[in-house]
Amino acid sequence: MRTIMVVGGGYAGFTAARRLERRLRRDEAEIVLIDPRPYMTYQPFLPEVIAGSIEARHAAVAHRGHLRRTRLFAGTVTGIDHARKTVTVRPARGEEFELSYDIVLVTAGAVTRTFAVPGIAEHAIGLKHVEEAVAIRDRLLTAFDEAAQLPEGSPLRERLLTVTFVGGGFSGVEGFGELLSLAASLVRKYPELDPTELRFHLVEAAERILPEVSAGPGAWVVRELERRGGLVHLGTQVVSAEDGHIVLSTGEQFDSELIVWTAGNAATALVHRHTDLPINGRGLLTVRADLRVGTDDAPVLDAWAAGDDAAIPDLSVPDSSAPGVLTVPNAQHAVRQGRLLADNVVAVLRGKEPRPYLHRSLGAVATLGIGRGVFEHRRVVIKGFAAWVMHRGYHVLAIPTWERKSRVFAVWLTAAVFGRDIVSLAAGQNPREAFVSGR
């Protein structure tokens, strides 16, 4: 049988493997999926994990729980040699090994883009994985506990109650808004603390946030965050973050206990440097509209790609108005590309023609904390509670599997009655400490 190798188990990879299981007969092909994590992270729910509105595990979909026929490997693909049709896999333990394939689907996703800012690598946390969202939440809860024991006005207390988000895209703004909402709710449970002591900074290098929405709704989001006590720095860069001391390009300086870095995406090292497949100037795989790797004049046989690591032409935008525009790297596109990716592979295996990817955006929707959100689709703009409901409604339908939808919805109902859980499990990040110390 042919072997179909899926490199990466995120939105596109998980969706493609699941659909291949449904579309292929058992004797047509063997499906293999390789990913270092045993689950798919539904990233739009990470801000709600930060805020305690969703249990961390409910924002992840286990590969083994939903891929019945796929052979799974827990490891990192460190190289793709398509000339030999092999991938090199580095497992969590043991030596690297090679696996051969007949058809490869590259859905490795993207990584957080970082810059050479002193202190960021040592002190910042990203927001791409469930573990990071949990750590952000736990650090804030722990900081509140520690700050409540310190005298008012002390430098350490001010540092503990200061949070900095770098990056004003959807991930940064939603994470910032949800954490600000959690902090405003949490401070009421600490009579030792005053809400005016909270310092939440959102730093964005561009002159506006949320580039996916138009200027009007973006400006409204800034005003809404500032009305709730957020400090939004536009046209500003972080120059240094050494020892948690933030220095901005405007000259402003302050100490911050929690630093969250969400300043965009970059191609993975695998795609950018460790494959013989063609890439563009940004380090993304060159992909045709039908998701086959290559160009219309020079397609690469048996190689396909989708998701954040693929430069896919956006056919919904007329080429005359914006030549060469690519699909936006987000969950909305990745899931739909994953479905078409599987359908096209099956079509080619059965001697049929693949279809081009064409999806017109359903709009942009963002949560800014419980009861607050913004939605825009063409000329329609909705703000506040209605947009927040739309955000929850869309994403509970979009997360894969009815099992996960049910769990998320059940947690929302519980939180509506009893409020969000404010227990910090920061000790879980060093589980042996209590054992070693004898406490």
Side-chain angles (χ1 to χ4, degrees):
M1 286 195 300
R2 298 181 181 89
T3 296
I4 301 175
M5 181 80 68
V6 183
V7 178
Y11 300 121
F14 174 81
T15 303
R18 200 157 170 251
R19 196 167 182 90
L20 284 170
E21 288 189 345
R22 296 174 178 174
R23 295 291 312 278
L24 289 170
R25 299 187 306 272
R26 288 185 176 273
D27 62 347
E28 279 190 282
E30 178 188 35
I31 308 164
V32 176
L33 186 146
I34 308 172
D35 195 281
R37 287 179 169 81
Y39 55 81
M40 183 212 80
T41 302
Y42 191 70
Q43 291 179 357
F45 275 156
L46 294 186
E48 295 210 43
V49 172
I50 287 177
S53 300
I54 290 179
E55 289 293 329
R57 287 182 176 85
H58 297 170
V61 181
H63 292 153
R64 291 191 181 275
H66 301 281
L67 297 176
R68 311 295 186 186
R69 292 171 44 199
T70 301
R71 188 180 176 194
L72 299 170
F73 284 89
T76 301
V77 175
T78 58
I80 300 175
D81 186 345
H82 192 62
R84 296 172 51 230
K85 289 192 173 182
T86 61
V87 298
T88 303
V89 182
R90 183 178 64 231
R93 297 190 182 188
E95 300 294 325
E96 289 190 346
F97 59 89
E98 288 189 345
L99 291 173
S100 61
Y101 61 82
D102 296 290
I103 300 170
V104 66
L105 280 56
V106 185
T107 55
V111 296
T112 302
R113 180 181 61 183
T114 57
F115 303 97
V117 178
I120 287 296
E122 294 79 12
H123 300 285
I125 304 176
L127 188 51
K128 270 192 168 295
H129 303 291
V130 173
E131 300 92 336
E132 294 172 323
V134 171
I136 292 168
R137 168 183 163 78
D138 285 345
R139 286 199 184 185
L140 181 75
L141 294 172
T142 300
F144 269 58
D145 286 333
E146 294 177 354
Q149 312 305 316
L150 298 172
E152 186 175 351
S154 70
L156 180 55
R157 176 164 163 150
E158 291 179 0
R159 175 189 175 112
L160 288 167
L161 297 177
T162 300
V163 173
T164 304
F165 272 70
V166 185
F170 264 91
S171 181
V173 170
E174 289 190 318
F176 183 81
E178 288 285 355
L179 199 64
L180 182 60
S181 176
L182 172 62
S185 173
L186 190 64
V187 76
R188 292 195 290 268
K189 300 182 184 296
Y190 286 82
E192 306 93 338
L193 303 178
D194 190 286
T196 59
E197 295 183 87
L198 300 180
R199 293 289 184 272
F200 274 64
H201 299 267
L202 175 62
V203 183
E204 168 55 44
E207 293 296 335
R208 51 166 298 190
I209 60 174
L210 297 178
E212 294 86 350
V213 303
S214 59
W220 176 85
V221 171
V222 171
R223 292 194 300 272
E224 171 66 15
L225 293 175
E226 290 178 337
R227 183 186 66 80
R228 291 160 51 194
L231 304 168
V232 182
H233 307 265
L234 299 179
T236 305
Q237 296 178 337
V238 174
V239 176
S240 175
E242 288 188 287
D243 297 323
H245 182 72
I246 303 294
V247 180
L248 302 181
S249 56
T250 58
E252 185 175 351
Q253 301 184 34
F254 51 87
D255 290 332
S256 182
E257 180 69 10
L258 177 58
I259 306 169
V260 183
W261 184 272
T262 64
N265 297 324
T268 63
L270 166 69
V271 169
H272 189 55
R273 294 192 295 270
H274 302 296
T275 178
D276 56 353
L277 295 171
I279 60 174
N280 67 5
R282 293 170 50 198
L284 301 174
L285 288 169
T286 301
V287 180
R288 307 188 331 172
D290 61 4
L291 306 185
R292 194 194 297 270
V293 174
T295 63
D296 292 338
D297 297 329
V300 179
L301 296 180
D302 300 324
W304 305 76
D308 292 358
D309 61 2
I312 300 170
D314 191 345
L315 300 184
S316 68
V317 178
D319 198 56
S320 58
S321 63
V325 67
L326 305 176
T327 57
V328 177
N330 61 22
Q332 188 178 138
H333 281 297
V335 170
R336 288 166 175 79
Q337 289 168 6
R339 293 184 192 132
L340 182 64
L341 185 61
D343 290 345
N344 281 352
V345 169
V346 172
V348 171
L349 285 175
R350 295 175 180 172
K352 300 178 181 179
E353 289 297 316
R355 293 183 293 112
Y357 176 74
L358 173 60
H359 170 67
R360 291 180 174 83
S361 174
L362 301 176
V365 62
T367 175
L368 305 174
I370 290 182
R372 302 175 179 91
V374 62
F375 167 82
E376 182 180 33
H377 181 50
R378 297 178 182 173
R379 296 183 179 180
V380 177
V381 177
I382 300 174
K383 306 169 186 174
F385 183 78
W388 175 76
V389 172
M390 293 173 67
H391 177 275
R392 285 200 161 185
Y394 172 78
H395 285 298
V396 79
L397 292 175
I399 190 172
T401 81
W402 282 102
E403 174 258 345
R404 272 300 179 259
K405 299 179 200 294
S406 301
R407 290 182 186 273
V408 168
F409 192 68
V411 172
W412 280 341
L413 289 178
T414 304
V417 176
F418 300 105
R420 38 187 161 197
D421 198 326
I422 61 170
V423 175
S424 169
L425 297 177
Q429 297 170 37
N430 188 9
R432 295 190 67 252
E433 183 176 359
F435 174 77
V436 173
S437 65
R439 297 178 183 177

